[in-house]
Structure formats: structure tokens, C-alpha cells
Amino acid sequence: MPVKRLLTEFGMGSSLRRQDYTEAASRAVRDALWHNSINLAELYGKDKSDMRITVEVGVQNPDALDTDTIAAIFPYGQVTVIARKGGLDVPRSDGGKPTVIANVAISVALDLEGVA
């Protein structure tokens, strides 16, 4: 059996005043992760380092996202971060920088070859 996606988690994060897309995305990742404790790799007799983690991040300015910072949040696994156009920039009535909202989808996959 080839690599199979087994889990997808979703999160949302914001940067209220600094228009920091990376911080908003980091908060979104933590939002998705910190509400769970899933021992997925162990269920299949795999090591946590075998997990293939894909993080899709939606922000209005994907080029402003530091994907290495997002990947560094994960303590194990093979992490790929994909920045996409999405999320939301909410204008402020005082003329300041908009509030930035980031959305993430985190997918976890394992190579299940040889697993019964």
C-alpha cells in the first residue's frame, strides 16, 4: 500500500495589529495541534519521524509567509509547508495595518506498505 493520508486537522490564527502573516499562521498551526493528542504513528507500528506532514496555509499575502518558521513548530515528522492565497485581511477603522487571519489544514500521512 502506498503513502496514505490518515488525518487532517484545521486551525485558524490571527495577527491583530502587526500584519504578521507568519505569526498568524503559527497560531493557526498551534490551534490545530494543541487540541489533539493523536498517537497515529504508533497505531501502525511506525516511528513519529515517519509521519509525512503537509501544512497548507491560506493567507492574503503568501509571499510574506516564512515557511521554515512554520515547519519548525513540528517536533517530528517530514514537514512540507505550502503557502496559498486565502485567509483574510480585515481593514481597521483607525487606518492601521489590517488584522490578518490565517487558515491552515494539516494532513498527516504514513507509508503503510507492510502494515496489516
Side-chain angles (χ1 to χ4, degrees), residues 12-85:
M12 190 275 301
S14 62
S15 173
L16 297 177
R17 293 185 172 22
R18 293 185 5 230
Q19 197 176 8
D20 186 332
Y21 292 97
T22 300
E23 185 58 33
S26 295
R27 290 174 176 157
V29 167
R30 289 185 189 97
D31 178 53
L33 295 178
W34 274 227
H35 294 110
N36 297 290
S37 178
I38 300 170
N39 300 321
L40 190 63
E42 293 91 340
L43 287 173
Y44 291 94
K46 301 284 187 173
D47 189 79
K48 291 178 181 180
S49 64
D50 294 330
M51 293 190 305
R52 299 181 188 182
I53 301 168
T54 303
V55 183
E56 296 182 65
V57 180
V59 291
Q60 284 292 294
N61 185 359
D63 293 335
L65 191 68
D66 181 349
T67 57
D68 291 336
T69 297
I70 303 304
I73 294 171
F74 295 84
Y76 39 74
Q78 303 161 39
V79 181
T80 301
V81 178
I82 302 166
R84 300 192 186 284
K85 178 89 168 158

